[in-house]
């Protein structure tokens, strides 16, 4: 773990200061502000993101795919009028009109669901890389860890944004519900355009479960990270890694040492992501006395910053944590 912290700091040695060693004997919340007091995490350097592009292309692909889907969800074309007409006047013509309208939307919703499956696969890879012991202290490895921390936060930001959009567009749930109810008749349609939008029954069931949650994309990230911690059989190491990233982000913002507005935004995003993951992975949660993250200090500080769709960061953290409300 010491190697990881040195790399994230950008240090060329694994030396642990006397003050850091002493602080391990203090309360967890105090450790958060003291143990890593010299740990500053600046993520604005383009080399960090470039490392991901060059060396972790699958992560970059998942991120870009998610961002593209967000743009399409923002212009979601709902079928409320057509569905209303098909229900009030259930003629074959009205029903086909509704299917033609919601068909492309259902295909988009399937793509979003498949993106969640990609997230589920990539999150363990990112955490595994971040939590692994590294003995090479060169600059490339520093870019590696900062780049992966930024990637993790950017993926969570996309998840925040998707869930926020889903909550603000009731038609997503309504359109898919109508699709599911009329699927048996839709399958029999002789219209090729309508038939091409039919989704396999098993996939449709999985999508229904996915969209039933108020925060399906964040839940995917959280569940994937929690399963990784469980499968790794080294939950304390995972929590230590998350705490270290949180502390570095906290110090950078609190001490005004971000190297620009974008770096500060990314640090707030990393901090929010770490708090949520810690809360779900730790059996006691982030608000417990055993937590190594001082969540009260975090919430006080990030309340002045916004995340998805201009929502205050502290509200985003509370809404997605297990033990905070």
């Amino acid at each position: 773990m010491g190697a990881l912290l040195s790399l994230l700091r950008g240090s060329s040695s694994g030396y642990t200061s006397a003050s850091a060693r002493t602080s391990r004997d203090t309360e967890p919340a105090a450790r958060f502000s003291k143990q890593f007091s010299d740990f500053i995490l600046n993520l604005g350097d383009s080399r960090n993101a470039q490392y991901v592009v060059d060396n972790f292309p699958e992560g970059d692909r998942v991120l870009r795919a998610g961002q593209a889907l967000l743009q399409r969800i923002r212009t979601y074309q709902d079928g409320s009028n057509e569905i209303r007409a098909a229900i009030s006047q259930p003629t074959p013509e009205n029903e086909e009109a509704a299917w033609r309208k919601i068909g492309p939307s259902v295909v988009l919703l399937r793509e979003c669901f498949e993106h969640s499956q990609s997230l589920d696969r990539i999150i363990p890879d990112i955490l595994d890389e971040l939590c692994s012991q590294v003995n090479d202290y060169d600059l490339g490895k520093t870019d590696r860890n900062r780049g992966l921390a930024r990637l993790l936060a950017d993926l969570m930001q996309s998840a925040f944004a998707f869930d926020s959009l889903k909550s603000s567009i009731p038609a997503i749930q309504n359109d898919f519900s109508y699709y599911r109810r009329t699927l048996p008749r839709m399958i029999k349609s002789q219209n090729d355009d309508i038939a091409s939008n039919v989704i396999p029954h098993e996939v449709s069931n999985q999508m229904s479960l996915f969209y039933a949650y108020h925060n399906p994309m964040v839940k995917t990230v959280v569940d994937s990270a929690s399963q990784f911690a469980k499968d790794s059989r080294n939950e304390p190491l995972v929590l230590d890694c998350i705490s270290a990233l949180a502390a570095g982000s906290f110090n950078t913002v609190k001490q005004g040492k971000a190297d620009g507005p974008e770096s500060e935004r990314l640090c707030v995003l990393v901090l929010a992501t770490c708090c949520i993951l810690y809360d779900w992975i730790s059996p006691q949660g982030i608000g417990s006395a055993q937590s190594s993250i001082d969540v009260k200090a975090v919430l006080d500080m990030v309340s002045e910053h916004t995340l998805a769709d201009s929502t205050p960061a502290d509200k985003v953290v509370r809404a997605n944590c297990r033990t905070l409300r």
Side-chain angles (χ1 to χ4, degrees), residues 95-109:
E95 196 165 64
E96 284 211 0
W99 289 340
R100 284 195 298 271
K101 182 66 176 182
I102 68 172
S105 298
V106 170
V107 171
L108 172 58
L109 295 181

Side-chain angles (χ1 to χ4, degrees), residues 14-26 34-35 37-38:
Y15 174 71
T16 304
S17 68
S19 61
R21 290 194 298 271
T22 301
S23 66
R24 291 196 184 100
D25 299 325
T26 63
K34 294 179 180 178
Q35 183 178 358
S37 59
D38 61 338

Side-chain angles (χ1 to χ4, degrees), residues 261-272:
E262 176 64 5
S263 181
E264 182 172 282
R265 182 192 71 82
L266 288 167
C267 282
V268 171
L269 186 53
V270 169
L271 189 52

Side-chain angles (χ1 to χ4, degrees), residues 64-79 102-116 158-173 175-176 207 210-211 216-217 309:
R64 292 180 184 276
Q67 292 170 338
L69 286 171
L70 283 176
Q71 293 302 319
R72 294 168 63 190
I73 287 290
R74 288 191 176 98
T75 57
Y76 185 87
Q77 300 294 313
D78 73 83
I102 68 172
S105 298
V106 170
V107 171
L108 172 58
L109 295 181
R110 178 182 181 176
E111 291 180 42
C112 292
F113 168 68
E114 290 172 342
H115 173 68
S116 76
S158 291
F160 290 150
F162 177 85
D163 291 348
S164 178
L165 285 169
K166 174 187 174 290
S167 298
S168 67
I169 307 175
I172 288 178
Q173 201 78 3
D175 289 356
F176 192 65
M207 289 174 61
F210 174 75
Y211 284 105
M217 209 65 80
D309 293 338

